[in-house]
Amino acid sequence: MTATPDPDRRPAVDAEFRIDHLRPVDETRATAAVRCTHGPVRLGARFHRLRDAAAPIDLVLTRIVFYGRPVDALDPACTALVTLRGAGTTLLAPGAGAGPPTIQGAIPPPCAGPSRAPRARTERRSWLHGATQYSP
C-alpha cells in the first residue's frame, strides 16, 4: 500500500538558513548574513529550495565566518557570514514576500578524512641527557 503525500505537510530538511542580508558577488556567488534555523549546517551543504517560492535553486555552502573566524559548521540559532555558490543567488534578495528569504537543503555525510593508521614507535637517543625517548 502506498501513501499519498500530504500537500500541507512541510518536507523534512537537514539544513535551513534565514537570509538577513545579501551581498551578491556575481551570478553564481553570494555572501550573506544568515541565521541558522535548522541544523547544524556544515560546509558543503547543498541548498535546493527557497521556502515559499516556486523557483528552484542549487547552492553549495563554501564558507562560514563566525565572529570573524572561519568554522566548519554553524549551530541552530547562530548567525554568521556565509558564502554560497551555484545557481539561484539572484533569487535570494529580500523581496516583498512575507519576511526574509529562507533556503532549505541537505547536509553531506561527514567526511571520514585521511586514514589514521597507528604509527610505529621510534626510539631516539637524547645526546644531551643520554636517556632514551620514545615518540608516539
Side-chain angles (χ1 to χ4, degrees):
M1 174 181 206
T2 25
T4 57
D6 184 5
D8 296 329
R9 187 172 176 209
R10 190 170 150 191
V13 295
D14 294 331
E16 187 174 83
F17 279 155
R18 184 188 75 210
I19 299 173
D20 294 326
H21 179 73
L22 180 73
R23 186 180 67 189
V25 176
D26 57 33
E27 297 217 358
T28 61
R29 189 173 55 163
T31 301
V34 300
R35 175 176 291 275
C36 180
T37 54
H38 189 77
V41 180
R42 288 191 311 271
L43 290 175
R46 293 192 75 95
F47 294 94
H48 52 81
R49 183 170 184 257
L50 181 59
R51 192 169 72 182
D52 301 328
I57 60 173
D58 185 20
L59 299 170
V60 176
L61 179 62
T62 59
R63 184 174 177 160
I64 304 170
V65 179
F66 183 68
Y67 284 97
R69 295 188 176 177
V71 295
D72 294 334
L74 188 64
D75 291 325
C78 292
T79 58
L81 193 64
V82 300
T83 301
L84 300 161
R85 289 182 185 249
T89 57
T90 56
L91 301 171
L92 302 179
T102 301
I103 57 175
Q104 299 173 327
I107 302 170
C111 178
S115 173
R116 301 211 80 184
R119 292 183 357 204
R121 291 180 69 153
T122 57
E123 185 178 310
R124 182 176 60 188
R125 283 232 174 240
S126 169
W127 295 102
L128 183 61
H129 301 290
T132 302
Q133 297 175 342
Y134 295 95
S135 67

